[in-house]
Every structure is written in C-alpha cells, then in structure tokens.
Amino acid sequence: MGVAVRLIPCLDVDAGRVVKGVNFENLRDAGDPVELAATYGAAGADEVTFLDVTASVDGRDTTYDVVGRTADTVFVPLTVGGGVRAPEDVDRLLRAGADKVGVNTAAIERPELISEIAHRFGSQVLVLSVDARRCGPDTVTDSGYEVTTHGGKKGTGIDAVEWARRGAELGAGEILLNSMDADGTTDGFDLEMIRAVRAVVDVPLIASGGAGTVQHFVEAAQAGADAVLAASVFHFGTLTIQEVKDAMREAGIEVR
C-alpha cells in the first residue's frame, strides 16, 4: 500500500469570514475560520487549507492575524494560500503559523518564484495551486485543460497539465488541482483531469472541486489523488469527515 490518502477541509476566507459559492460566485457566509478549523481538527481532518480567496483579486495581503489565530487553535498541518507574491510573503506566513504555503497567480506570472521558494524554505512547504478548467471554444491546449487566475475569472491559455508538470519540476512539493468547472457544484471531481495530472507528476496530488457524496471522494482517490479537499459539503453539514473516511476504508483505500 502507498501513503494514506489525506482528507482536507478547505476554508475559503474573504474579509475574515469563511465563504462558499458555486464557481466562486454568489458567496455565502459559512462561519468563523478559527472556529471552523478547530472543529475540523477535532473531527479528524488530516490537514486544513486556508485560502484567502480575494487576496489576488483585490491585490491584498493575506490576513496574517487570522492565520495566527487559526494556527494557535488547530493542531493539524495548516496550508495557507492567497496573495503570495514573493519569498518574503512565505516567510511571514510560516512565522504566523502556517505549515505550508500555496502559490497560484504570482507563479504563473513569474515561474521562477516556485524555485526561489523551494530553494529557500524546502519543497515540502510549497503547494502549487492550479485552478484549471476545460478549454472553451476559443482556447486550445494539448490536454484540453487551461489554467485560470483570479478565482477562475481569467483564462491564461496555459495547458494546465503541462503547468502542473512544470511546477513540480521547478520545486513545488505538492499540486493542488482545482477544477473550476466543478467547484461548488457537488457533482463530483473531474476524474479525467486528475488522471491526466497524475500521469505527469510524482509529487503528491490534492484533488479539489466538486465533492458532493462520499463516493466522489472514493473516485478521486482511485483516480490517483493523494489527498482530497472539499469545502461546501463539510461547511454546510452534508457530510462529515468520519463518513468520508469510513467510505474510503470500505472501498479499500488507506486513510489515517
């Protein structure tokens, strides 16, 4: 057996509150990030991911105080992303209490950022977040998937599978693969995309976007995800972490 599949609740934070929408639109308030993170830690989450969803859009820095308070409350690894543009941002987040840091937009604009962060802090702290969608009629990539930025609002024309491969090569310790088409829909993960990225990267792959049932988590793991991330189903009580872990165990998937 390989390494146990991790289960990661994701807190999308906007102005200090956890929010969740469908395809990043019509955001609903889902609570206080510190309280939610503590609840998930107690419920058996393997990690907690904290994304400042408007940091890149608004050009703001991540809210370090919320990160600090969350880190003080939660005793599982905490990954923080949003608005990270330089190694100094990573340094500040690690000092605030983050265990890992996610980069997205800034790495697309300047891929050397990945190498700089990996070189200074080690690959294990760096998660490359890839917000990908199926190409529309005006975009063509080899894989059929393109990278988006700004919460899925802007297409880049960059092949998402090739970008994930390159990111790992440059030093990203993990790839967080988020399907912008499936995000918040609860219709299931984009399994084809997970398989395509799994085929080209050796680093851990986190699948995100589309969880709605316990079976969806099982399918994502079977498609090659090393970790499965979800937000809405946990925030609004549709599923519990224990239910998902039980279902994965029953399917023969090793969990913690």
Side-chain angles (χ1 to χ4, degrees), residues 27-118:
L27 298 178
R28 289 163 65 188
D29 187 284
D32 175 71
V34 182
E35 287 172 20
L36 269 175
T39 304
Y40 290 138
D46 298 304
E47 294 182 18
V48 171
T49 290
F50 179 113
L51 296 177
D52 194 334
V53 292
T54 47
S56 292
V57 180
D58 299 345
R60 281 191 299 98
D61 278 343
T62 312
T63 31
Y64 294 98
D65 63 312
V66 183
V67 172
R69 286 190 293 124
T70 305
D72 287 344
T73 316
V74 182
F75 303 103
V76 295
L78 178 64
T79 299
V80 183
V84 174
R85 294 178 190 85
E88 291 66 42
D89 298 327
V90 176
D91 189 49
R92 283 181 69 189
L93 284 168
L94 295 175
R95 288 175 192 276
D99 297 283
K100 296 187 242 183
V101 175
V103 296
N104 185 342
T105 308
I108 294 163
E109 291 164 356
R110 204 172 65 81
E112 309 82 68
L113 178 64
I114 298 171
S115 319
E116 289 165 11
I117 294 169

Side-chain angles (χ1 to χ4, degrees), residues 11 40 43 62 64 72 103 107 113 118 125 142 144 158 215 244 256:
L11 309 179
Y40 290 138
T62 312
Y64 294 98
D72 287 344
V103 296
L113 178 64
V125 308
D142 287 346
I158 297 167
Q215 187 57 29
V244 175
R256 294 182 184 176

Side-chain angles (χ1 to χ4, degrees), residues 8-24:
I8 308 175
C10 181
L11 309 179
D12 294 323
V13 179
D14 180 8
R17 297 290 291 177
V18 176
V19 294
K20 196 61 209 164
V22 178
N23 306 122
F24 282 84

Side-chain angles (χ1 to χ4, degrees), residues 58-200:
D58 299 345
R60 281 191 299 98
D61 278 343
T62 312
T63 31
Y64 294 98
D65 63 312
V66 183
V67 172
R69 286 190 293 124
T70 305
D72 287 344
T73 316
V74 182
F75 303 103
V76 295
L78 178 64
T79 299
V80 183
V84 174
R85 294 178 190 85
E88 291 66 42
D89 298 327
V90 176
D91 189 49
R92 283 181 69 189
L93 284 168
L94 295 175
R95 288 175 192 276
D99 297 283
K100 296 187 242 183
V101 175
V103 296
N104 185 342
T105 308
I108 294 163
E109 291 164 356
R110 204 172 65 81
E112 309 82 68
L113 178 64
I114 298 171
S115 319
E116 289 165 11
I117 294 169
H119 181 72
R120 181 162 160 191
F121 305 101
S123 288
Q124 77 284 349
V125 308
L126 181 57
V127 179
L128 177 64
S129 188
V130 180
D131 290 343
R133 68 180 177 202
R134 288 173 185 266
C135 292
D138 304 328
T139 315
V140 179
T141 66
D142 287 346
S143 69
Y145 294 95
E146 77 162 322
V147 176
T148 68
T149 62
H150 299 79
K153 292 180 178 68
K154 295 185 181 180
T156 62
I158 297 167
D159 188 314
V161 175
E162 170 56 24
W163 173 234
R165 186 199 65 74
R166 189 172 171 214
E169 197 174 71
L170 286 168
E174 291 185 81
I175 303 294
L176 169 53
L177 182 66
N178 188 27
S179 166
M180 303 312 286
D181 299 315
D183 180 78
T185 63
T186 67
D187 293 335
F189 293 89
D190 189 330
L191 303 177
E192 197 183 325
M193 185 164 75
I194 294 169
R195 290 188 195 103
V197 173
R198 173 79 289 162
V200 298

